[in-house]
Structure formats: C-alpha cells, structure tokens
Amino acid sequence: MEKWNADIVSLLYKPLVGSMPIRLLRLQPGQPGDELIAELIPTSIDEVEGQYEATSYTWGSPADPKRMTCDGLNVIIQKNAFNMLNDLRRTEQTRTVWIDAICIDQSNIEERASQVSIMHHIYRRAKRVVIWLGKPDDHSALSMTYAAGLHIAKLLGESRDLGDSATKDWEIYTQKSYFFELDEKRDPRQHQTLGIALVKFVNRPWFNRVWVQQEAALCRETRATCGDQEVGWDNIFALAWMLLPRSIGLYPDYIPDDINRTLNNISAVENIQRRRRRLFGDLYQTRPDLIFQPLISRLVNSSRFGATDPRDKLYSLQYFAEDADTWFDIDYGIPWQILYADVARRFLERGILGFLKNAGRVRQKPDSMLPSWAPDFRDGNWGSNVMVEHPSWMPGGPKTDIAYDTPGKAAGSVHNLPKKHRKRLDLPKELRDFKDSRKSLLQSYASFKSTMSDEIVYLADVLDDPFDVEATLRILSKDLDYIEKLGSQTYLNSESISTAYKLTLILSSNYEQSIVDSQYADAHWDEWIQWLKDPLRGRETMPVWQYSMEATGTLQSFRFAITRHGYFCLVPRDTQVHDMVSIFVGYQTGVVVRHWQPPSSQGKAPEGSSKGAVATEYFELIGDAYIHGMMTNQARCIIEEFRCKHNPTQSQLQAMLKASNSGHGESWKTLGLPGGYTKILETLGDHLINLI
C-alpha cells in the first residue's frame, strides 16, 4: 500500500513543519455515486483544535483499492477508506476530517513515526470522533436500532463501579442486565433473530482493532455510524454490556459465532469505557483518574486485538502507558521481531517478567522466528493457551510492574548464542536489510533466575471435542486410577492426593475466582460427575464445578501433569513427558520448559562435558503452568529456611533433610507449612535457566 502513490507522493505531500503539524482532509460535497474529491490542508493541532472530526475505522484488505481525486491528483486508497469517505461526505457542505491513510504520508516511515507520537492529541483535541463500523447489512440495521433504544442511564449505572475490586466486579457481573436472560414475555423467534444480529454486530472487524482502544476513548464526543444510522458511544457500550454474560458460560446454541472472539471484542469495549470514565468523570459521575498504568500491564490487553502492522501492538499504547518511552521509541524502521525481542530484553533486565504471558511456543505463531523467551504480541486468539492467574499468586515471589534502577533488580540477562549453536534463519528482506546490533537478539538466549525445577513424568490426555462427555469421564478415571497407585496418598501440603488432583484441575479457584480448599472439592466434585453422567444434563442445571473447568480450559487448552518428585500441575496442551516445570523469580505463574539440544551438538557429547567442565543446558519456553501448593512463594521461603541448593550433592541433601528433621522440625512450624514439603527439597535452589 505504501507504494500505491509513489509517482505522485512528492506532489501530494509537502514536509510537515512546526509544532505538532498535521494535515486535514476537506471533503467536497457530492451525491452518492459522484466522484470523491478532496483537498489536503497542512496545519497544526493548535490551530485547528475543535474544528475537525477524527475518523476511526479498519484499514481492511489491500485488495480492490479505489481511486479518488485529492488536490487534483488521482490517489489510490483502500476500499474501506473510500467507502467511509463516501458515507461521511455531505451533499451540500464540505466536511473536514482527519484520516490516517491519507493525512499521513504512509511511504515516509519518519513521518509515520512522528504522527503516531502525537496521535493522542489528534483524537483528544478533535471536535468529534466518528467511528465507521463498515457497510450496513440486516444485522447492523437491527443492532443500531436496538442500541439507540437502550436505557443508557440504567446500564451505565450498572457498570459504574467496575474496577474497584475483583469481588465487587463479580457482584456487578452477577446482577447486571443480560440480553439472553430467559423471559417468557418475549417472542422467542424475534429474540433469537435479534440475538444473532447483535453478536454478528460486535464481531465486526472494528471492535478487534488495537488502535480503536485509543481512538474511541480520548474524545468527549464520540459517535458510531453504520450506513445512515448513527448512535453515541454510550449506546455502543450499552449494547456490548447487554451481551456480556453474567458468569462464565456459553451463549445459546443458536449463536454461531466463536464465543472467545465475541467476549474478546466485548472486553475491548469495556476497556474503552473504563478509559472514558477516567478521562470524563463529569459525563459518567465518576472521579477523573489521569494516572495511567505501566506498559507491562497494558500489553496483555493489547495483544488480544488486531493490527495491520505488528509494531502497532506497542506503539498504540504510547499514550495510555505512562512509561512507554522507557521501553521503546516509535520507529517504523525496526522490524517487529527485533522490537518485540528488544522490549522483552529491557523488561527482563529491569526485573519485569509480565511479558512472558505472550511468550513461549504455545503463544507464538508457527511462522515466528522469535526466541522462545520473546513475546509474540501478534496473537489475537486470547481464548486459548492463556492461564488467567489469581491475584494472590506469586510462586516466584512478588512481581514487579514498574522499572527500577536498583542494582540487582534484574530477573535475568540476554546473551548471544555461541556461533556454533546458531540456527540458519531464512530472514525476510526487512530483517536482512536491517543493520543494527539488536539483530543478534534473534540468535540469543536469555538466562532467567529460577527457584525450582522438576521433570514431568506423567501427562493426562486431552479432549479433541470439548463436548465429548464420555472422553472427559475416561480422562478423569484414568488420572484417578494412576494417582491411587502412587506410593503416598498424601500431597505435600497435607491434602489427600485425590483432593489435590481435583483442586489442580480448577487452579484451586471457584467460579467467583476465590481460592478454595478441600471442603469445596468434597462439596461439589460428586455433583459434577453425576451431572456429566446424566443424559438429560443441560446448562440450566450446570453445577458450579463445570463453570470452573470452563474458566481454566482444563482438558482442552491445559492438561494435568505429575512431576518426578510429586508436584501436581496444570500445563499447556502441547507439553510432553520429560519437559520441566519451573518457577522464575518474579513471575506470577510457573512455567514449562523443554530441553533444547543445539544443532552443532546433536549426536555428540554435551557442551562442556570434558573433565572438570559444567555443561551448558538450553531450554525452550513452552508456556505457563500451575503448580499446586507452590503458588504463594513457598519455594523462596523453604530455600531460605533450609539453605536449599540446586542439584545438591549428597552431603548438601543430607544437611537439608537433617534441618527438616524428616518433616517434623520446628522450621516447618515457623514457615506455617506441613512437613510433607520435605519430599521436594532437592528440586529447590537458586539457579539459572537458559532459554533460547
């Protein structure tokens, strides 16, 4: 697309100069079907504040581009931009808008970077933001009419206190209005038709685009248009709020769309609304909050949304993340692979590990040439391979979200792989042409501080069909049969191993995301099994345990595992026997890693295996893991109490066991832990794990 207008770009675009310079597009009036005619107006934000409308839309496919006349020149633009401008054009008056595809010289990467850096000003200081949701259809007509008729004040009131606390959020969700609530007064066929239309509507591409998180949030007057129908932003939010389920669950069977995608898009609308409440407290009867979160806390949401340019997953956050300039400069000359790896390196060296939520082989796309430790923010499929952690989790100790310059705060470091271990990469042209020392990040390994490692020796089966109840029962029966044959029937935290197994499947959390114990398992497990066996089961009688299973993705995206020393874990579906579970210092979940043998050493003795040398081990990061009984910093506490050493010698192990007094020592009482943890002492100890 950047080369479409190469022959006229010097005539169309003059260099932008001055303070916060921009170009506006003045659309000439015309009738439907008339030629689209406009002119570019060089100006500055200060000069035109409140005098233009900023547009929010999706670029769409570059296929089938269209032509318009701009400043007397024949300009090629995307089909979506063309259709939007046609819809926005007035019949008798000019209309002044800002549209990124035309007002920015897309062939000039320096200009693109400078304009992106002031994007928040462009939208914040516009007279109005106009959201163009695409061409109308029968679904959009029903949806826009429905949105226009909603009781806005009531629905805004229901959601006003979201974000105060996790407990309060749950109370709000369970009491909210819900479109699919059973109501005998409704015509079921009409309601079904409208329900299908509403879900189709929120699955339009606009809702999943990463830039709209900024574009729809910053301007006080924001309106959405589709065809000849127009509603305010609050109507769009109210529609999405009505579609948000009260609890974990599925939509009615007649809804054909992917539930994960739908909920992801609704979440996007919720995020925008939260930002608007912070900025415009007088509109929503809330206290304005201009203290924005650090970049790491924003990245998880950003990765869920789509972007034409992968770099925009980061660049779109430069206003809402107050520390964004600590981690990157807006530069469209750097390949996205280098950008992602470099930001991760900076996080690691400042003690921040939240980026690992988007790293690992289960999160990276198949075409990725990133190191396994680097995040791949391109993935928008948030509904799979994601372990939603509980706020109380800190297996590696307290996590860090804010960068500090304190010496020793680093959680690890990045190093170049030895030349003999480097892989042959088939680099695309953009990477081949990139001349910068950061290019070496693609052939690097990252050393992470770890406190625990243990080998997986048992893996449960997983479901290919989430609705296959017979397969579910077989998997559960096989697991229970296996653990009943283990030597000890008591788990390390003193639970029975059957109870520990059951709680592992649901991450020890109920459907309200509250931590639960053996009493919860005793009260609800049998009820769930009986429901599974009932041929007449339905969602209207679904027990609470099923809600928790659906929330965790167990048996589908995650599977049960047991390690050599008896840890019960929930691990990614792609995990293999002999993979390792580990705990990284400062990370909020456990991880699964896999031994990696350099191509140069395959079939040979390990590197450094000569007498007196220590072999360098390399691993690939697979993904997140839950380790039952180890999620609240037990590893660090035990290490410090018993001076645990990684891979201890026999004498070191004996010293640790002596201090433990076979699990009966006073130290266990001091820690508030049962002596059953003695069995895992030799898995603990500070060490480094090298991830390629």
Side-chain angles (χ1 to χ4, degrees):
M1 291 185 290
E2 292 85 353
K3 298 180 179 179
W4 280 350
N5 299 298
D7 55 336
I8 60 169
V9 68
S10 61
L11 300 174
L12 186 62
Y13 296 110
K14 303 302 180 186
L16 292 171
V17 295
S19 174
M20 291 196 292
I22 61 172
R23 302 182 188 93
L24 295 177
L25 187 74
R26 180 181 292 148
L27 280 171
Q28 296 300 316
Q31 299 296 324
D34 285 354
E35 181 184 4
L36 193 60
I37 301 174
E39 59 181 313
L40 280 173
I41 306 169
T43 184
S44 71
I45 293 176
D46 290 335
E47 291 178 4
V48 294
E49 180 173 356
Q51 301 175 43
Y52 63 95
E53 296 171 287
T55 62
S56 178
Y57 69 108
T58 59
W59 276 32
S61 169
D64 192 23
K66 302 298 181 181
R67 295 179 182 273
M68 65 174 291
T69 298
C70 185
D71 289 346
L73 301 169
N74 193 358
V75 178
I76 303 173
I77 60 174
Q78 308 101 314
K79 182 179 179 180
N80 271 8
F82 180 85
N83 288 336
M84 178 183 68
L85 293 175
N86 262 310
D87 285 351
L88 296 184
R89 177 174 55 177
R90 297 190 175 110
T91 57
E92 297 181 355
Q93 294 179 319
T94 60
R95 190 169 189 175
T96 303
V97 300
W98 184 88
I99 171 174
D100 57 354
I102 303 173
C103 294
I104 299 175
D105 178 1
Q106 297 295 332
S107 67
N108 185 328
I109 60 174
E110 289 80 13
E111 180 174 303
R112 285 168 59 193
S114 67
Q115 289 289 280
V116 165
S117 69
I118 62 170
M119 196 78 76
H120 57 285
H121 289 291
I122 294 173
Y123 282 88
R124 185 76 185 270
R125 298 167 71 175
K127 175 183 179 181
R128 176 185 302 112
V129 167
V130 178
I131 299 168
W132 186 76
L133 294 171
K135 299 297 288 182
D137 58 22
D138 292 342
H139 296 313
S140 68
L142 285 173
S143 299
M144 292 289 280
T145 300
Y146 175 78
L150 286 170
H151 193 320
I152 301 302
K154 175 180 180 295
L155 298 176
L156 289 179
E158 289 180 1
S159 64
R160 183 173 297 123
D161 295 327
L162 277 176
D164 285 358
S165 70
T167 302
K168 195 165 190 177
D169 281 1
W170 178 258
E171 293 174 355
I172 292 171
Y173 286 131
T174 56
Q175 299 171 21
K176 66 179 289 295
S177 300
Y178 184 43
F179 178 84
F180 292 110
E181 182 179 25
L182 296 176
D183 188 343
E184 296 180 356
K185 297 179 182 180
R186 296 170 176 159
D187 182 316
R189 287 186 297 180
Q190 290 183 358
H191 193 68
Q192 178 173 326
T193 299
L194 179 56
I196 292 172
L198 296 178
V199 173
K200 290 285 186 186
F201 183 73
V202 298
N203 277 306
R204 283 178 165 243
W206 181 87
F207 290 92
N208 187 251
R209 181 170 166 263
V210 70
W211 276 111
V212 308
Q213 291 288 300
Q214 176 172 267
E215 296 165 359
L218 292 177
C219 187
R220 176 180 289 267
E221 184 178 354
T222 299
R223 301 190 65 78
T225 179
C226 192
D228 59 1
Q229 294 176 282
E230 183 177 304
V231 297
W233 166 258
D234 288 343
N235 298 79
I236 295 297
F237 168 73
L239 184 154
W241 181 251
M242 287 294 295
L243 291 179
L244 182 66
R246 287 175 173 163
S247 59
I248 300 163
L250 302 176
Y251 284 149
D253 292 340
Y254 60 77
I255 298 296
D257 294 78
D258 176 26
I259 181 105
N260 286 327
R261 180 186 174 195
T262 303
L263 295 180
N264 190 62
N265 289 359
I266 292 173
S267 174
V269 175
E270 276 196 289
N271 288 338
I272 293 170
Q273 187 69 5
R274 283 190 176 98
R275 292 172 177 178
R276 291 183 62 83
R277 284 203 306 268
R278 292 183 179 127
L279 289 171
F280 310 116
D282 58 321
L283 287 180
Y284 300 106
Q285 290 79 55
T286 58
R287 185 177 63 184
D289 178 9
L290 300 180
I291 301 176
F292 300 125
Q293 295 176 315
L295 178 68
I296 195 66
S297 64
R298 294 291 187 185
L299 281 176
V300 171
N301 278 331
S302 177
S303 66
R304 299 162 66 174
F305 308 130
T308 302
D309 189 320
R311 291 165 288 207
D312 287 337
K313 293 296 190 83
L314 290 169
Y315 297 163
S316 64
L317 297 174
Q318 51 93 28
Y319 174 66
F320 286 108
E322 59 182 349
D323 62 342
D325 58 358
T326 301
W327 309 111
F328 61 81
D329 296 318
I330 297 176
D331 178 5
Y332 285 97
I334 180 173
W336 66 265
Q337 298 93 333
I338 307 300
L339 175 67
Y340 287 3
D342 188 46
V343 169
R345 175 189 62 80
R346 297 183 187 204
F347 278 135
L348 177 63
E349 293 176 351
R350 303 288 283 276
I352 298 174
L353 294 188
F355 67 89
L356 290 176
K357 290 300 284 185
N358 295 92
R361 296 311 186 200
V362 299
R363 290 290 288 159
Q364 294 173 341
K365 291 191 175 183
D367 65 342
S368 174
M369 59 181 62
L370 291 167
S372 67
W373 55 267
D376 190 345
F377 298 119
R378 297 175 300 161
D379 183 13
N381 187 15
W382 188 246
S384 63
N385 300 321
V386 177
M387 183 170 287
V388 181
E389 71 272 5
H390 191 273
S392 68
W393 288 359
M394 53 172 188
K399 70 173 184 176
T400 299
D401 285 342
I402 305 295
Y404 298 97
D405 291 322
T406 308
K409 193 66 180 179
S413 55
V414 176
H415 313 272
N416 291 334
L417 269 173
K419 288 184 178 180
K420 62 182 179 179
H421 292 337
R422 295 177 189 175
K423 298 171 285 187
R424 290 186 177 181
L425 300 177
D426 184 15
L427 299 179
K429 185 177 186 304
E430 182 183 27
L431 277 169
R432 290 198 306 271
D433 294 344
F434 183 66
K435 308 301 181 184
D436 189 291
S437 61
R438 289 173 292 176
K439 191 173 180 177
S440 64
L441 288 168
L442 297 181
Q443 297 277 20
S444 66
Y445 68 92
S447 297
F448 287 78
K449 296 178 181 178
S450 177
T451 58
M452 184 278 280
S453 294
D454 201 19
E455 179 187 8
I456 293 173
V457 296
Y458 173 83
L459 273 178
D461 296 331
V462 286
L463 294 172
D464 293 321
D465 177 2
F467 301 104
D468 189 340
V469 174
E470 291 185 2
T472 298
L473 291 169
R474 284 197 303 270
I475 292 172
L476 299 174
S477 178
K478 179 181 176 182
D479 290 348
L480 288 168
D481 287 345
Y482 182 89
I483 64 175
E484 285 177 4
K485 297 174 184 176
L486 296 176
S488 172
Q489 291 299 297
T490 302
Y491 192 63
L492 56 90
N493 64 359
S494 293
E495 295 170 345
S496 71
I497 58 170
S498 63
T499 295
Y501 167 73
K502 296 167 186 176
L503 292 175
T504 299
L505 297 184
I506 61 169
L507 306 179
S508 293
S509 301
N510 65 12
Y511 63 98
E512 294 179 334
Q513 285 294 288
S514 298
I515 296 296
V516 296
D517 56 18
S518 58
Q519 291 182 339
Y520 185 85
D522 294 340
H524 298 291
W525 176 269
D526 290 341
E527 176 192 22
W528 177 55
I529 296 299
Q530 291 304 314
W531 179 79
L532 289 175
K533 293 179 178 179
D534 184 357
L536 300 179
R537 66 185 170 278
R539 297 197 69 80
E540 64 279 358
T541 60
M542 192 169 77
V544 294
W545 198 279
Q546 178 65 19
Y547 282 111
S548 296
M549 292 292 288
E550 291 180 1
T552 60
T554 303
L555 306 185
Q556 299 168 53
S557 297
F558 294 91
R559 65 203 311 172
F560 176 70
I562 303 176
T563 69
R564 184 170 301 281
H565 289 82
Y567 292 110
F568 284 8
C569 310
L570 207 62
V571 297
R573 181 187 182 101
D574 293 340
T575 302
Q576 301 173 6
V577 173
H578 304 308
D579 286 348
M580 306 279 287
V581 292
S582 187
I583 291 174
F584 288 171
V585 174
Y587 191 47
Q588 61 265 45
T589 71
V591 296
V592 175
V593 299
R594 180 173 300 156
H595 278 282
W596 179 78
Q597 188 175 9
S600 60
S601 63
Q602 291 179 5
K604 303 178 182 178
E607 175 190 343
S609 60
S610 59
K611 185 176 180 180
V614 177
T616 300
E617 286 188 301
Y618 298 102
F619 297 84
E620 286 186 291
L621 178 64
I622 304 304
D624 289 344
Y626 168 83
I627 308 168
H628 191 60
M630 298 296 291
M631 300 302 288
T632 51
N633 205 24
Q634 289 91 339
R636 172 56 61 197
C637 294
I638 296 172
I639 287 172
E640 294 184 355
E641 186 68 29
F642 298 106
R643 299 181 181 179
C644 298
K645 304 295 183 183
H646 177 63
N647 286 336
T649 64
Q650 191 61 33
S651 61
Q652 289 172 334
L653 179 59
Q654 289 303 316
M656 290 153 52
L657 292 174
K658 182 178 179 180
S660 170
N661 190 19
S662 300
H664 301 292
E666 287 297 318
S667 295
W668 292 113
K669 295 180 181 179
T670 302
L671 291 174
L673 296 173
Y677 281 89
T678 298
K679 68 182 71 173
I680 52 90
L681 287 179
E682 61 183 301
T683 70
L684 304 178
D686 290 314
H687 59 290
L688 294 176
I689 289 186
N690 300 317
L691 297 181
I692 59 94

